[in-house]
Amino acid sequence: MRALVLLLTGVLMSLTVATPAPAAEPVRTPGGMLMATLPNGMQLLIVENHAAPVAVVNTWFRVGARNEQPADAGISHFLEHMLFDGSVGMPLDDFNRILFQNAIDNNASTDQDNTNYFHVGPADKLREIAHMTALLVSQPVLLDSEFGREREVVKEELRQGLDNPGWFLGDLVLPAAMAHAGYRHPVIGDAPTLDAQTNEQMREYYRRFYGPNNAFTIAVGDFNAEDALQILTEEFSAWQPTEIAPDPGTTPYSQTAPQSLVGVRDYATNHIAAVWPTTAARADETYALQVLAAILGQGDASRLVRRLRDELGLVSDISTSTQELITQSAFWLSAEMADPAQTLAATEEIFRVIRQLKEQGPTASELDRARRQLMLQHLFLGEDVQSQAYTLGYYINATGSPLFFEDYAARLAGVNAADVQWAAQHFLPAAHITLGLATAETGAAPLTPNWSLLDPSAAPLERPGDIGRLGTSTQPIYPASQAAGAGAAPTTLTLRNGMRVLVKPVLGTGTVGLTLAAPQGLDLESWETNGLGALLERTLTKGTTTRSADDILGLIDHLGGRFEVSVSYDTTSLSGLYAADDLATALPLIADLISQATFPEEEVAVARDILLAEITARADESYNTTHDQLTLAMWGQDVAYGRPPLGRPAAVSALTREHLLDHAVHIFDPSTLVLTLTGDIDPATVQPELETIFGGLPVRKRQTGTVLSPAIPRSATGLQRIVQQTAKAQTMSVLGLPGVALHDPDLPAIQAVNMVLGGSWLSRLFDRLRGKEGLAYGTYSRVEAYRDGGILSARIGTRPEMWEQAITGLQREFRLIATEGITAEELATAVTYSRGQTLMSLAGMQAQSQAMALNVARDLPWDFDWQLLQRMAGVTVEEANRVATTYFQPANAWLAVTGDLFTPAVSLE
């Protein structure tokens, strides 16, 4: 045993040392990960996860914005882009074709401390996934011919960030607060610095940091760990180590007074962000800080959300979080104002809430809720191999050890009230805050709140000597079973009131996905009540005849916080993911919400004001607002698909509690509802419980939706433009054509053609308009098929001076696919890739539960997603080209544009 411990300790320590290590025998961590170090210094970590037939290989480099010199600002992220432009011996087109043909996706991200690259796809393609990852990261060509074009793509991403308030504020406050720790500039950098960089500068940067001895690779998925280790060893061993540049180091922290910053952008409302430097990610205080963030601003029951949003209506959104970084982590607060005029008042109320926690500490129920919420979120990572691999890699990079991940639940269980109170007092003083304001007010001054509201008058607590202690937790880390493909048909039950129940056992996962779906949604609204569904989403959990809003929201967060009410065009659903042992608590809550919701007047009034603020803030979401204009033009106001999903301000302002009570009666008629359960559950055991909880709910009156059947979108005459003038850094264009409904026999062929055109980053639009022409950071097309109709749409965001060229590019690609069609190879690849996408989209118990419930509620087969794939596999080239000619003609199309233009906006009113 001692020998194993010493060997394991050596492997864990090697994760923090960027030098080649001798080959080590693989060892198992206490949590079951298989680990080894290659002779070239690359560390390998293998995790079996059999929740779905999917695998991911993720390579992490210990390099990010922190490692850059001023002239290098943004180069880590820029290099991330360049690595996707081809590898030695394999041109980009060949590289992407292999990915597409094997249903493999890839992507990357860059942070202050790291850059990571991943490939994910079907688990039986692990060899190909590992090979393409190794090829991508170890043999980039960094072509001069691609450098200038890719720089323009990066600048498009920068412009996109300028139009995003959260991104903009993050780049404003973090460098100001954390320069001493090495986080002195934004990850993407700035346009002048990017323009001055050269490809040789980038090659030198790659040589200094991108060796296997400065990296580790994680594989997570449905495979045998020993087999996966062998594959990764073979794929990464040939990569030669390099001499890694020294760590940039830090300077002492010197801030002794609050600092306040302001940035002026054309946003629809004010936004604030605050950051406090805390401690290194590996420090014992990290766990208490995460619990503190959960208590203050994570979940609907958190202090800031209840006080600022639900009670006072000062903000439409507010949250707190921790950002774990190598040299010094950060504690974040962000908020979106409901009324810009109340920004100062909201900021000071935030300070009061934080001070109260400093003075009194958390309650026992708050502490329990926060710890369980974080623990369950950790458990739920097993639902998605991609998220699990990313989270594991992020913490290994930040802390230097996988033990942070494996000990996480036990460490959270050890956090007590004194830990949290001390952390709030010690890490969130007024003297250390950096506060940022993003506003559209020209010449606005930085906020000057009463800073003393943050600091309590009493002496602070002493640091707990055993902070970071291990508590008692029996939470499993990884799921142990598999739900491959559609699998066996679920057990179908019908309760005595007509409610349909589908139960699909997937034993060993430790989780259960639950969805209750109704076959009506926004189609029950009219133009005059547009927004009723959105208001229902925000008020259904605000009280029942037996539970208060605090009771409900606290229970939801206690159960893990993975619960949502969602109203779409033709369905309404309540969905959640729970630990299997918590299902008996969740089921009565769901029944209570659909049968006994009271919609208290005061809660409705606040929620209505918040919804109006959200509608205003939606103007900052260029794609969504542009798409709203497109659908209104195509469908008209009398069809649900044409109305804004959040509603119109005039209609929302007139909605009342009585509207909601009547609406809930129509929506939640149990004889029309579908309840699905997927996961660690026995149908025979749960049936009597379901009958007791749901079977006695009374059948209610029904109302027919207002959607036209069939709903036919309007045809355009020529290119009909709907233009909104805004002072945005980027212009968004969305092209629309009539499509088909979910039941239409042409849908499989349309899906196949769309996958070739723009259904993924491997498709024609992305490859040509982004990859070859550098017009956009992203451009895609969508098949929007609903129960009673559908449209085809495509989008592209670009710099204002290029928007006409971007639109011309969209039209050209539509015209080419309509006139020339697609090839047999493209069709076969589209079908294969679509299967991989479906595998990944239905990985996890909640995703499978939601898909089953929504399919059945729409009168489709429970496994409609898989049946659609089978039908796609039977599509011929002739059939694909027929639908390409029929549906993808761009000559008569709708075009909605939002950006820095000269034509007045078309009002949704």
Side-chain angles (χ1 to χ4, degrees):
M1 177 63 72
R2 177 172 171 77
L4 175 60
V5 171
L6 289 174
L7 179 57
L8 176 59
T9 302
V11 174
L12 297 181
M13 289 179 61
S14 74
L15 285 171
T16 66
V17 180
T19 56
E25 289 295 321
V27 296
R28 291 276 182 181
T29 69
M33 284 187 288
L34 188 63
M35 302 179 59
T37 302
L38 299 178
N40 61 11
M42 165 76 77
Q43 287 96 35
L44 304 177
L45 299 95
I46 315 297
V47 180
E48 291 187 26
N49 181 330
H50 303 287
V54 176
V56 60
V57 174
N58 192 342
T59 294
W60 292 73
F61 292 96
R62 301 178 189 90
V63 59
R66 184 174 69 93
N67 302 88
E68 299 166 355
Q69 298 301 313
D72 291 332
I75 200 168
S76 301
H77 172 263
F78 191 175
L79 179 58
E80 172 207 314
H81 281 243
M82 289 294 293
L83 258 64
F84 287 93
D85 283 328
S87 301
V88 175
M90 185 174 289
L92 179 60
D93 288 346
D94 293 341
F95 193 100
N96 287 342
R97 182 169 59 253
I98 291 172
L99 297 183
F100 218 2
Q101 289 172 342
N102 288 280
I104 299 172
D105 253 340
N106 69 1
N107 211 328
S109 65
T110 305
D111 209 332
Q112 280 78 12
D113 286 334
N114 66 77
T115 307
N116 79 94
Y117 301 81
F118 71 85
H119 287 76
V120 59
D124 60 5
K125 300 293 184 180
L126 178 62
R127 169 72 71 179
E128 290 82 357
I129 293 170
H131 178 72
M132 301 308 282
T133 306
L135 189 61
L136 178 82
V137 299
S138 67
Q139 300 184 53
V141 287
L142 303 180
L143 296 171
D144 290 337
S145 59
E146 302 298 324
F147 185 81
R149 177 200 52 76
E150 198 63 50
R151 176 163 48 203
E152 293 306 312
V153 172
V154 173
K155 288 163 66 178
E156 285 302 334
E157 187 176 1
L158 183 61
R159 293 183 187 96
Q160 180 177 296
L162 291 174
D163 289 339
N164 181 303
W167 191 338
F168 173 74
L169 271 176
D171 285 352
L172 178 70
V173 300
L174 188 70
M178 305 284 285
H180 67 283
Y183 309 115
R184 64 184 67 85
H185 56 249
V187 170
I188 297 186
D190 58 71
T193 306
L194 291 170
D195 283 336
Q197 289 170 4
T198 67
N199 201 13
E200 184 52 42
Q201 183 180 349
M202 182 166 289
R203 292 189 186 100
E204 176 59 25
Y205 191 79
Y206 178 86
R207 286 191 289 268
R208 296 202 328 258
F209 292 104
Y210 290 75
N213 47 323
N214 197 40
F216 60 93
T217 293
I218 299 170
V220 181
D222 182 26
F223 44 59
N224 174 273
E226 284 76 12
D227 294 343
L229 178 60
Q230 180 63 33
I231 290 173
L232 264 65
T233 299
E234 294 169 2
E235 295 296 340
F236 284 94
S237 288
W239 190 4
Q240 294 301 304
T242 188
E243 183 177 348
I244 303 301
D247 188 272
T250 63
T251 58
Y253 183 59
S254 59
Q255 183 174 326
T256 58
Q259 56 178 330
S260 187
L261 310 170
V262 64
V264 177
R265 298 291 302 168
D266 186 33
Y267 298 135
T269 189
N270 284 357
H271 300 256
I272 65 169
V275 66
W276 289 263
T278 57
T279 185
R282 61 184 176 276
D284 289 336
E285 293 89 344
T286 295
Y287 308 95
L289 284 163
Q290 291 195 353
V291 174
L292 171 63
I295 290 171
L296 277 175
Q298 293 178 14
D300 286 342
S302 61
R303 287 197 181 193
L304 289 169
V305 173
R306 286 300 284 156
R307 180 62 176 164
L308 272 293
R309 188 192 71 181
D310 296 348
E311 294 177 12
L312 300 178
L314 289 171
V315 302
S316 53
D317 187 52
I318 189 167
S319 64
T320 53
S321 61
T322 60
Q323 183 181 10
E324 281 71 35
L325 297 168
I326 291 175
T327 57
Q328 189 166 33
S329 297
F331 191 96
W332 282 90
L333 180 147
S334 61
E336 177 181 277
M337 296 299 114
D339 178 0
Q342 296 295 312
T343 302
L344 181 61
T347 304
E348 294 189 338
E349 187 60 30
I350 289 169
F351 289 179
R352 292 187 184 96
V353 172
I354 295 174
R355 184 177 68 182
Q356 183 183 46
L357 183 61
K358 291 180 179 180
E359 293 174 340
Q360 302 173 8
T363 66
S365 61
E366 283 180 318
L367 183 63
D368 176 64
R369 175 191 64 80
R371 289 184 307 196
R372 287 197 86 248
Q373 183 181 8
L374 292 168
M375 289 179 192
L376 289 171
Q377 288 173 3
H378 187 63
L379 170 65
F380 296 158
L381 283 173
E383 293 276 294
D384 179 359
V385 299
Q386 198 169 319
S387 296
Q388 188 179 19
Y390 178 85
T391 305
L392 177 58
Y394 179 83
Y395 282 118
I396 288 174
N397 190 76
T399 68
S401 170
L403 294 184
F404 181 94
F405 188 83
E406 295 192 338
D407 286 347
Y408 187 68
R411 296 282 184 180
L412 287 176
V415 174
N416 63 31
D419 296 336
V420 175
Q421 187 176 2
W422 173 83
Q425 293 175 350
H426 182 75
F427 290 113
L428 308 185
H432 293 174
I433 189 175
T434 299
L435 176 66
L437 165 68
T439 180
E441 182 184 346
T442 303
L447 284 173
T448 55
N450 181 353
W451 302 106
S452 66
L453 291 174
L454 261 175
D455 292 333
S457 56
L461 299 175
E462 292 291 328
R463 179 187 184 276
D466 59 348
I467 195 168
R469 68 191 72 80
L470 285 169
T472 302
S473 174
T474 58
Q475 177 194 306
I477 297 178
Y478 312 119
S481 256
Q482 177 171 308
T491 299
T492 302
L493 315 169
T494 302
L495 306 184
R496 63 182 183 273
N497 56 9
M499 181 185 291
R500 291 168 290 172
V501 179
L502 286 76
V503 182
K504 188 175 180 183
V506 187
L507 301 181
T509 62
T511 60
V512 176
L514 178 157
T515 304
L516 185 141
Q520 291 178 311
L522 301 181
D523 54 342
L524 281 184
E525 297 178 1
S526 65
W527 187 244
E528 289 70 31
T529 61
N530 183 213
L532 187 53
L535 190 58
L536 179 79
E537 286 183 354
R538 290 152 180 78
T539 53
L540 187 66
T541 58
K542 296 307 173 63
T544 68
T545 56
T546 59
R547 307 173 198 251
S548 69
D550 285 339
D551 292 338
I552 294 169
L553 300 176
L555 180 56
I556 288 172
D557 285 350
H558 180 81
L559 292 171
R562 288 284 291 269
F563 172 84
E564 59 183 16
V565 182
S566 178
V567 182
S568 66
Y569 290 118
D570 44 30
T571 59
T572 299
S573 65
L574 286 67
S575 181
L577 179 67
Y578 306 101
D581 292 342
D582 287 336
L583 184 62
T585 303
L587 288 171
L589 173 63
I590 302 297
D592 204 22
L593 292 175
I594 65 172
S595 63
Q596 304 293 331
T598 54
F599 304 104
E601 291 275 11
E602 62 277 12
E603 297 279 6
V604 172
V606 173
R608 184 174 51 231
D609 289 343
I610 292 171
L611 178 56
L612 288 169
E614 290 180 37
I615 293 170
T616 298
R618 190 172 168 88
D620 293 328
E621 303 169 11
S622 291
Y623 170 68
N624 287 332
T625 53
T626 309
H627 189 269
D628 288 349
Q629 295 286 341
L630 177 79
T631 54
L632 177 61
M634 293 187 70
W635 295 102
Q637 67 184 45
D638 294 328
V639 179
Y641 308 138
R643 296 192 286 266
L646 291 186
R648 299 181 303 115
V652 170
S653 297
L655 295 176
T656 65
R657 174 176 183 262
E658 286 66 34
H659 283 110
L660 290 165
L661 287 167
D662 186 62
H663 193 58
V665 168
H666 294 309
I667 289 284
F668 298 122
D669 173 6
S671 66
T672 68
L673 299 180
V674 179
L675 176 67
T676 59
L677 300 166
T678 303
D680 212 347
I681 187 170
D682 180 2
T685 301
V686 78
Q687 181 173 4
E689 188 175 3
L690 295 173
E691 190 66 62
T692 299
I693 296 172
F694 292 98
L697 299 181
V699 175
R700 298 170 165 185
K701 61 181 178 178
R702 296 186 61 195
Q703 174 179 318
T704 303
T706 59
V707 70
L708 303 178
S709 186
I712 307 299
R714 299 169 180 171
S715 296
T717 303
L719 187 67
Q720 294 192 217
R721 300 188 180 195
I722 312 104
V723 180
Q724 298 182 89
Q725 170 72 29
T726 59
K728 296 292 185 184
Q730 194 176 71
T731 296
M732 177 63 63
S733 302
V734 184
L735 188 74
L737 294 162
V740 299
L742 285 166
H743 61 267
D744 195 287
D746 280 344
L747 180 61
I750 291 174
Q751 291 276 32
V753 173
N754 179 71
M755 186 59 71
V756 175
L757 173 65
S760 83
W761 65 269
L762 295 167
S763 303
R764 291 185 184 181
L765 290 180
F766 198 92
D767 174 60
R768 296 174 182 177
L769 300 186
R770 179 198 191 276
K772 292 184 170 60
E773 298 177 39
L775 287 172
Y777 172 63
T779 176
Y780 303 94
S781 61
R782 290 175 59 194
V783 177
E784 301 179 43
Y786 307 113
R787 184 174 56 202
D788 298 289
I791 63 173
L792 306 174
S793 67
R795 63 168 168 168
I796 186 168
T798 191
R799 47 202 179 279
E801 64 270 22
M802 300 298 288
W803 74 280
E804 289 280 9
Q805 183 175 332
I807 292 166
T808 300
L810 281 183
Q811 292 176 293
R812 179 193 70 217
E813 296 305 323
F814 269 81
R815 184 170 59 253
L816 285 173
I817 213 160
T819 56
E820 299 178 4
I822 65 175
T823 67
E825 181 183 8
E826 285 180 316
L827 176 59
T829 300
V831 172
T832 300
Y833 187 80
S834 295
R835 180 180 181 275
Q837 292 298 295
T838 303
L839 275 176
M840 286 180 276
S841 69
L842 296 179
M845 301 304 100
Q846 187 173 13
Q848 292 183 38
S849 170
Q850 285 177 314
M852 282 201 303
L854 296 177
N855 285 338
V856 175
R858 293 184 174 116
D859 296 321
L860 298 167
W862 69 271
D863 59 345
F864 174 76
D865 310 84
W866 296 104
Q867 290 192 23
L868 183 61
L869 277 174
Q870 292 174 347
R871 291 162 58 197
M872 283 179 66
V875 171
T876 65
V877 174
E878 291 74 21
E879 185 179 4
N881 290 333
R882 175 185 62 80
V883 302
T885 300
T886 303
Y887 296 98
F888 289 80
Q889 291 283 358
N892 298 304
W894 296 91
L895 178 67
V897 183
T898 301
D900 192 5
L901 309 168
F902 303 98
T903 305
V906 176
S907 172
L908 284 174
E909 292 291 323

